[in-house]
């Protein structure tokens, strides 16, 4: 404000009145000071704004890491916030989830009440968090909680993916599983098993490997499966990152996809359509999840009641070129 006052040739108190919209400033002076503020790019601090108005008009989206899933959720949140008068702050735990279970509590304590008016937590490890404002959780590790939540139908999605392989005639279907601490991963494995049971095909436990939703671990899991003497004819991966890793390993081993191996992923991240071959996958409406979570949060901040506390969105199968019948028949 001192810089603005010096540039405009007025007192600091006059600048303060203009910035805070108080009375007692001539319209000509108000316009002059406002022009200087805009030219200098002045912006009141979020903390000062919150102390003055009890609101910052900023909403936080807290993620463990900026990986493909959270990036798509963020896009949806940004879509929903347009025109609301709120700003978006994305805050990451830096991907150190294994070392920092409970990161949500620490980062909420830093942001809530002074920097943000509410927060969307993306795949939080815990939901029993103390907070000074509304919170919505997207795909929480433990499933539904006392917090409003937005999830996808992981169970049905997995069944769609595995049913597709079974209908093509595959009977030795491997799975690269997700993180065991995440309920969405457990539901996807359950869907894999339920699809087999419904088709009367026993699950071969030797065909399951832990991929933990990570590219490198997914590569290791896929290599173990594809190096088996009686290797699977198809692999269902719990997410697209490990499905893409499976395609990489297959190419390195000289295994043709889909002629010698069919691969199905889960998520439908943008990279899946660009793979070689393009990846058949289960579409999780990640962007819509972010949009719905942000819409719910804005409503809560504005003091409105939510028609539904928990939202579960439909998953669908996206058929591309990475799947065919065993032996390569289309």
């Amino acid at each position: 404000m001192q810089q603005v006052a010096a540039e405009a040739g007025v007192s600091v108190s006059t600048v303060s009145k203009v910035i805070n919209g108080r009375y007692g400033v001539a319209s000509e002076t108000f316009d002059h000071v406002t022009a200087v503020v805009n030219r200098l790019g002045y912006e009141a601090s979020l903390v000062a704004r919150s102390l003055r108005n009890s609101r910052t008009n900023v909403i936080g989206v807290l993620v463990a890491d900026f990986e493909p899933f959270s990036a798509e959720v963020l896009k949806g949140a940004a879509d929903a916030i347009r025109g609301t008068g709120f700003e978006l702050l994305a805050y990451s735990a830096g991907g150190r989830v294994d070392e920092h279970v409970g990161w949500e509590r620490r980062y909420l304590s830093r942001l809530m009440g002074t920097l943000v008016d509410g927060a969307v937590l993306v795949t939080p490890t815990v939901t029993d968090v103390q907070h000074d404002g509304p919170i919505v959780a997207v795909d929480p590790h433990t499933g539904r909680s006392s917090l409003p939540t937005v999830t996808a139908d992981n169970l049905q999605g997995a069944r769609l993916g595995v049913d597709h392989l079974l209908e093509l005639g595959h009977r030795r279907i491997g799975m690269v599983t997700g993180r065991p601490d995440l309920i969405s991963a457990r539901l996807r494995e359950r869907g894999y098993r339920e699809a087999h049971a419904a088709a009367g095909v026993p699950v071969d436990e030797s065909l399951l490997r832990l991929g933990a939703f990570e590219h490198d671990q997914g590569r290791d899991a896929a290599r173990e499966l594809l190096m088996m003497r009686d290797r699977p004819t198809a692999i269902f991966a719990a997410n697209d990152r490990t499905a893409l890793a499976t395609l990489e390993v297959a190419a390195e081993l000289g295994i043709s996809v889909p002629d010698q191996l069919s691969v199905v992923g889960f998520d439908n991240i943008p990279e899946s359509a660009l793979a070689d071959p393009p990846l058949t996958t289960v579409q999780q409406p990640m962007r819509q999840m972010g949009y719905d979570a942000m819409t719910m949060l804005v409503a809560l901040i504005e003091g409105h009641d939510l028609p539904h506390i928990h939202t579960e969105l439909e998953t669908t199968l996206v058929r591309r070129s990475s799947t065919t019948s065993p032996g390569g028949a289309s």
Side-chain angles (χ1 to χ4, degrees):
M1 286 195 291
Q2 290 176 340
Q3 291 176 340
V4 173
E7 181 75 15
V10 298
S11 66
V12 172
S13 62
T14 297
V15 176
S16 178
K17 289 178 182 179
V18 171
I19 291 172
N20 295 308
R22 296 173 185 160
Y23 296 106
V25 180
S27 60
E28 185 176 309
T29 302
F30 184 93
D31 292 342
H32 174 58
V33 172
T34 300
V36 173
V37 166
N38 292 336
R39 187 168 72 248
L40 295 179
Y42 175 85
E43 177 65 37
S45 75
L46 294 178
V47 174
R49 193 195 303 175
S50 69
L51 292 173
R52 185 170 62 250
N53 301 325
S54 299
R55 284 266 293 265
T56 66
N57 287 338
V58 175
I59 293 176
V61 179
L62 279 64
V63 301
D65 195 10
F66 291 118
E67 38 69 44
F69 174 83
S70 62
E72 291 302 303
V73 172
L74 275 168
K75 290 176 186 177
D79 291 340
I81 208 170
R82 291 192 185 98
T84 64
F86 287 95
E87 300 169 15
L88 181 64
L89 173 67
Y91 198 92
S92 170
R96 302 182 300 273
V97 177
D98 292 339
E99 305 171 19
H100 293 77
V101 172
W103 56 268
E104 309 84 354
R105 296 191 185 99
R106 285 184 292 278
Y107 298 128
L108 278 174
S109 67
R110 296 178 187 177
L111 301 177
M112 191 69 80
T114 55
L115 294 180
V116 300
D117 297 328
V120 172
L121 304 181
V122 181
T123 60
T125 58
V126 295
T127 53
D128 58 335
V129 291
Q130 299 296 320
H131 48 88
D132 298 321
I135 294 174
V136 177
V138 175
D139 192 24
H141 284 212
T142 55
R144 290 186 177 184
S145 69
S146 58
L147 294 178
T149 59
V150 179
T151 60
D153 192 343
N154 292 284
L155 178 64
Q156 180 60 17
R159 289 197 60 164
L160 287 172
V162 179
D163 281 345
H164 170 61
L165 293 171
L166 290 165
E167 289 166 3
L168 288 172
H170 293 279
R171 291 299 179 264
R172 286 187 60 76
I173 303 172
M175 181 175 182
V176 177
T177 64
R179 287 172 45 182
D181 63 318
L182 196 58
I183 193 166
S184 58
R186 298 198 297 271
L187 287 171
R188 291 173 200 181
E189 182 177 337
R190 178 177 154 194
Y192 165 88
R193 294 178 180 278
E194 287 188 1
H196 277 78
V201 177
V203 170
D204 184 343
E205 298 295 335
S206 71
L207 297 182
L208 280 77
R209 293 291 188 280
L210 178 64
F213 288 157
E214 295 294 336
H215 178 271
D216 290 346
Q217 195 160 343
R219 279 181 57 89
D220 293 341
R223 186 172 294 276
E224 288 181 15
L225 288 171
L226 296 180
M227 293 291 287
M228 295 175 67
R229 178 173 299 178
D230 187 14
R231 69 178 185 235
T233 63
I235 291 179
F236 171 62
N239 72 343
D240 283 352
R241 294 179 79 185
T242 50
L244 295 174
T246 300
L247 293 181
E248 291 177 10
V249 173
E252 293 167 5
L253 296 176
I255 299 172
S256 175
V257 177
D259 295 334
Q260 296 173 294
L261 176 73
S262 288
V263 180
V264 174
F266 199 112
D267 280 339
N268 197 26
I269 62 175
E271 293 84 351
S272 65
L274 304 175
D276 182 21
L279 180 68
T280 296
T281 186
V282 177
Q283 178 167 312
Q284 180 174 208
M286 299 169 288
R287 196 159 181 164
Q288 187 65 46
M289 292 166 75
Y291 187 97
D292 289 356
M294 183 59 71
T295 300
M296 293 166 69
L297 185 60
V298 169
L300 290 171
I301 292 173
E302 298 290 3
H304 304 305
D305 293 329
L306 297 177
H308 305 287
I309 297 297
H310 303 294
T311 299
E312 184 177 75
L313 300 178
E314 183 180 358
T315 48
T316 56
L317 180 69
V318 179
R319 296 187 60 168
R320 296 196 180 103
S321 305
S322 66
T323 52
T324 192
S325 300
S330 60

